Amino acid sequence: MAGEPRLKKTRNFGVVAHIDAGKTTFTERVLYYTGRTHKIGEVHDGTAVMDWMEEEQQRGITITSAATTCQWKGQTLNIIDTPGHVDFTIEVERSLRVLDGVVAVFCAVGGVEPQSETVWHQADRYRVPKIAFINKMDRVGADFSAVLQQMRQRLGAVPLPVTIPMGAEDAFAGVVDLINMQALVWEEADLGAEYRREPIPEDLAEAAAAGREALLETLAEGDDHLMELYLEGEEIPAKDIKAALRRACIGLELVPVFCGSALKNKGVQPVLDAVVDLLPSPLDVPPVQGINPDNGESEARQADDAAPLSALAFKVQMDQGRKLVYVRIYSGVIKSGAEVFNVAKGQAEKVARILRMHANKRERLKEAKAGEIVGIMGLKNTSTGDTLALRERPIVLEPIDTYEPVISVAVEPKTVGDQEKLEASLAKLSDEDPTFKAREDEDTGQTIISGMGELHLEVLVHRLEREFNLVVNVGRPQVVYRETVTTSAQVSQSFDRDLGGTRQVGAVTLAVQPNPRGGGNTIRMAADPEQVPGEFLPVLKQALEEGLDSGVVMGYPVVDTGVTLSGGKFQPGLSTELGYRLAGSLALKKALEEGKPMLLEPIMKVEVIVGEEFMGEVIGDLNARGGAVESVEPKGGGNIVKALVPLKAMFGYSTALRSATQGRAIFTMQFSHYDHLEDKKK
């Protein structure tokens, strides 16, 4: 297999976590210890290499996923550092789609937080093997075993500690390596680049022995060779333990857990070793699956330079006005200056330049091979989720899921002359970010931008100013609603009119009915072929799909609605495609009106961490906002209040919460589902 030795030594992995768990701080240490950078960048100073956008440096958070490549122990590591804020979940989604493994970072104090759950389940959906790093062991309130317990309860994971902490909070001194049964102690002088292996301190001997016993017991359950050695009481070599751990990790049976403090430069190298020893190479994951568009059959492509090209464009970024497309190559080779075929668009694209990325810096390459993640310039029509292949050997890989925006604001340029520039700039931003939409309101003529949250839109408005020199006025945030029907309705509708000198005739009978909440839309074509001949069905189905894009209450998209085409009337020589299409559109509109339509609003999952003394105020306020409190769980010295609250009631909540709790409570919020909240409260 061409490229096999290189592929065996390649690891494509991402760093994921809840906001403020220390992902970027961890990644900065990785870059320093691997020799990729010569000084450690810090998030709080705005000098982190991976947070290269001005917005990121000012806010101290990661907004866009950044890719880099470095070397560790003869292996090539392609790393993607992803955002932890829920508003930028699409960045995590599209990164996980192309990665072979992840390092999930947890805060030893905060534990498994809401966005930790979201990214974990995203990784589960793509069947991505995981390693966990419990960070911030030096912080007051750090609790290693509590985080393990939360991983079991909230994530349904099987965490298996491979290192355990030596002390916690101010007394955190290093970690115990349970595979080699040694203490690892880091040198302060050289920013943690060197560490010593020492005998395990006496006060930790019992905990280390218990930890190793649990490690061996768990691994032996799924490994016959290890079980044999374990039952015979023989000393088990480290290489056998790592082999069993690797198999179980890649098989998604368990999650190896490490601990440390990235900010204090302790515990990072064992995680790097684990990336090499435990996470899969491109050869260890199943061949990528796709559909051959020529015959509709499923096809697999091996990770092999000699195989036909298959690559997925997973991220688009505007780079000084030019389009930079991030691509994961699954098979074959892409050469600079060559032509590739965008299968989704049915267009040939010219590869102008291939770049190995290091955040916003890059290195030019002549070619990129299977298993690599690179940036490509020159792909004018390629969007997120498009497949690149050879024209003569096309394949369509599974596209990337996106999310529907839940919040909108109106924007207008300060000067009328900038309207065209605004439209062009918004088009570029929405090309970059599939969760960002821009449209013109037909009634008011205003430009409406929609996104995943207030922070998402705020960042995009600042980028308009910074990157496109466009100052805009911004309206108040508006909720993006959905519409649905509450009862079944059946209508018959005919259309018979002269249009453009041609008589257009069509007649249909269709019904609408409510689907379960979250069940999505369904369209069933069940008409007798004598009433609606087969050649008219595709155009009719398209008309019904388009009709559901705009409801009859306020023009919002219709969701959770079933449409059944049950009949019609065919008149030979008179019935036309356009006639059926227009009859279908009119019938759907009429059926939606008769189906007792209603608005659905976005319901947010809100978690508030608050001390006992302010519990009453917080719960009372959430109830006053129309929320439904689902549970109250103890955490540390306080409680976590979990509630479902309409998004419209959450604008400005952070200020209200600070005021009600003297600044002592924090909250997180993420989209849950669309619903009629009154139904939830019954």
Side-chain angles (χ1 to χ4, degrees), residues 512-531:
V512 295
Q513 66 276 342
N515 280 347
R517 196 71 69 241
N521 292 332
T522 52
I523 296 178
R524 201 162 63 90
M525 311 304 271
D528 189 303
E530 289 184 7
Q531 296 174 322

Side-chain angles (χ1 to χ4, degrees), residues 256-494:
V257 180
F258 297 79
C259 61
S261 166
L263 188 63
K264 295 293 170 65
N265 311 312
K266 294 174 181 174
V268 174
Q269 290 94 331
V271 183
L272 273 174
D273 290 341
V275 166
V276 168
D277 293 337
L278 309 180
L279 287 183
S281 76
L283 296 173
D284 296 316
V285 293
V288 68
Q289 298 287 328
I291 301 293
N292 184 327
D294 293 340
N295 56 24
E297 290 181 9
S298 183
E299 198 173 299
R301 295 272 169 96
Q302 297 279 353
D304 186 350
D305 298 348
L309 173 67
S310 63
L312 188 74
F314 69 93
K315 177 177 162 69
V316 174
Q317 183 179 307
M318 299 315 293
D319 180 57
Q320 297 171 355
R322 290 172 302 173
K323 193 170 180 177
L324 172 64
V325 180
Y326 285 77
V327 172
R328 161 73 193 260
I329 303 171
Y330 287 98
S331 63
V333 175
I334 294 180
K335 295 188 183 218
S336 184
E339 199 176 79
V340 293
F341 186 62
N342 182 325
V343 188
K345 302 282 196 310
Q347 292 177 326
E349 293 265 48
K350 183 77 177 286
V351 176
R353 264 186 264 168
I354 303 174
L355 306 165
R356 176 167 287 130
M357 305 304 299
H358 178 46
N360 63 332
K361 298 183 176 66
R362 65 279 317 258
E363 166 196 342
R364 286 182 73 158
L365 302 172
K366 288 183 178 173
E367 61 179 20
K369 299 176 179 177
E372 293 189 332
I373 293 173
V374 293
I376 297 181
M377 306 284 282
L379 306 179
K380 292 189 171 65
N381 300 306
T382 299
S383 310
T384 297
D386 285 356
T387 303
L388 302 177
L390 301 175
R391 189 189 286 271
E392 59 274 16
R393 291 294 303 275
I395 187 171
V396 179
L397 303 178
E398 182 191 345
I400 294 170
D401 287 342
T402 59
Y403 299 84
E404 285 300 314
V406 295
I407 183 171
S408 294
V409 296
V411 294
E412 62 180 24
K414 292 269 187 189
T415 61
V416 178
D418 277 344
Q419 183 62 39
E420 270 187 40
K421 188 179 175 185
L422 175 64
E423 287 169 13
S425 304
L426 291 175
K428 286 179 179 175
L429 288 175
S430 55
D431 201 13
E432 256 189 52
D433 183 349
T435 60
F436 172 66
K437 302 275 197 299
R439 64 179 176 86
E440 185 180 311
D441 187 296
E442 289 178 9
D443 298 326
T444 64
Q446 287 180 306
T447 300
I448 308 293
I449 60 172
S450 309
M452 299 303 291
E454 287 180 275
L455 177 62
H456 187 200
L457 294 182
E458 190 184 315
V459 165
L460 287 160
V461 167
H462 282 184
R463 286 187 61 195
L464 281 175
E465 197 172 319
R466 239 185 219 123
E467 296 172 29
F468 299 96
N469 297 317
L470 259 174
V471 180
V472 294
N473 296 320
V474 183
R476 286 173 57 82
Q478 303 289 323
V479 174
V480 179
Y481 292 93
R482 293 287 183 268
E483 299 184 18
T484 193
V485 293
T486 56
T487 187
S488 299
Q490 180 169 309
V491 300
S492 294
Q493 179 72 43
S494 59

Side-chain angles (χ1 to χ4, degrees), residues 12 15 32 39 67 94 111 124 147-148 166 192 200 253 357 373 383 458 508 548-549 553 667:
N12 294 314
V15 185
Y32 181 68
K39 64 178 187 140
R94 56 189 180 183
D124 279 344
V147 182
L148 293 175
M166 293 166 61
I200 296 168
E253 293 164 22
M357 305 304 299
I373 293 173
S383 310
E458 190 184 315
V508 299
L548 292 173
D549 287 342
V553 183
F667 83 103

Side-chain angles (χ1 to χ4, degrees), residues 180-238:
N180 297 297
M181 287 304 275
Q182 292 172 316
L184 309 183
V185 181
W186 274 261
E187 305 289 348
E188 298 285 338
D190 58 359
L191 300 173
E194 298 293 330
Y195 59 91
R196 300 188 309 276
R197 290 186 173 272
E198 299 179 348
I200 296 168
E202 280 183 30
D203 59 334
L204 278 171
E206 198 176 314
R212 182 176 169 87
E213 190 69 15
L215 175 73
L216 295 177
E217 258 183 41
T218 306
L219 291 175
E221 282 173 19
D223 191 289
D224 293 342
H225 173 62
L226 219 62
M227 176 67 83
E228 209 174 295
L229 295 175
Y230 181 70
L231 291 175
E232 287 172 8
E234 290 186 31
E235 183 58 35
I236 301 174

Side-chain angles (χ1 to χ4, degrees), residues 102-131:
V102 297
V103 173
V105 180
F106 297 95
C107 171
V109 182
V112 177
E113 295 166 286
Q115 186 64 0
S116 313
E117 292 186 50
T118 303
V119 297
W120 192 272
H121 295 315
Q122 283 173 306
D124 279 344
R125 191 162 70 249
Y126 289 119
R127 297 192 59 76
V128 180
K130 296 171 280 286
I131 288 173

